[in-house]
Amino acid sequence: MTRRPSDIHEGLALEIEHCGPDVVLRPSGTVDLATLDLFMDALHRLVAEVDDTAVVDLAGTGFLACCAVRPLAALRLRLETTRRSLVLTNAGPVVRRVLLACDLREVLTGESSLSAASAVVAHGAVVAAP
């Protein structure tokens, strides 16, 4: 298991951790237009480093702007073309609300995830990019 923290920029810190064949990205802070480039750079590193499942742990993400949803959807599709997958986990109420507002209800696993503290992108779900 290795960890590589990013620079803190504009209220966003990013950490990438290797857990066997899986790689976990932990954004902490706000993902919005001001931090989108930094977030997208981390997503590109995630693609380059993951062998199996890319996990984006949103527990420390206080806000996820709609502009960050399209890169997440594109990442998922890119990973699936090489038989890898994307999992979003630990999304708080504000982040879940953004995912739902962007018409991504179908990628949340079951209605129970809407009231739970986390939301997961299912491996076989269709992502409707905004």
Side-chain angles (χ1 to χ4, degrees):
M1 179 181 341
T2 59
R3 291 183 178 199
R4 184 176 63 211
S6 75
D7 295 330
I8 297 175
H9 175 75
E10 305 279 334
L12 178 66
L14 299 161
E15 180 181 297
I16 293 180
E17 179 179 2
H18 290 258
C19 300
D22 300 341
V23 181
V24 180
L25 169 63
R26 290 186 181 91
S28 297
T30 299
V31 180
D32 59 10
L33 196 54
T35 60
L36 184 61
D37 288 339
L38 184 62
F39 182 66
M40 288 178 58
D41 288 345
L43 294 178
H44 290 299
R45 282 187 303 201
L46 197 59
V47 169
E49 296 180 19
V50 69
D51 293 328
D52 189 21
T53 303
V55 178
V56 179
D57 183 345
L58 297 165
T61 306
F63 179 75
L64 181 81
C66 291
C67 63
V69 174
R70 185 178 298 269
L72 286 170
L75 171 64
R76 184 181 166 276
L77 293 174
R78 185 172 176 193
L79 288 170
E80 285 185 350
T81 63
T82 56
R83 298 182 188 252
R84 297 175 290 175
S85 59
L86 174 65
V87 174
L88 301 180
T89 188
N90 296 321
V94 172
V95 173
R96 276 196 324 273
R97 181 173 292 140
V98 170
L99 294 172
L100 294 174
C102 292
D103 198 25
L104 295 177
R105 179 179 302 274
E106 70 274 9
V107 300
L108 300 174
T109 57
E111 289 301 310
S112 63
S113 65
L114 299 177
S115 60
S118 66
V120 179
V121 174
H123 299 298
V126 175
V127 175

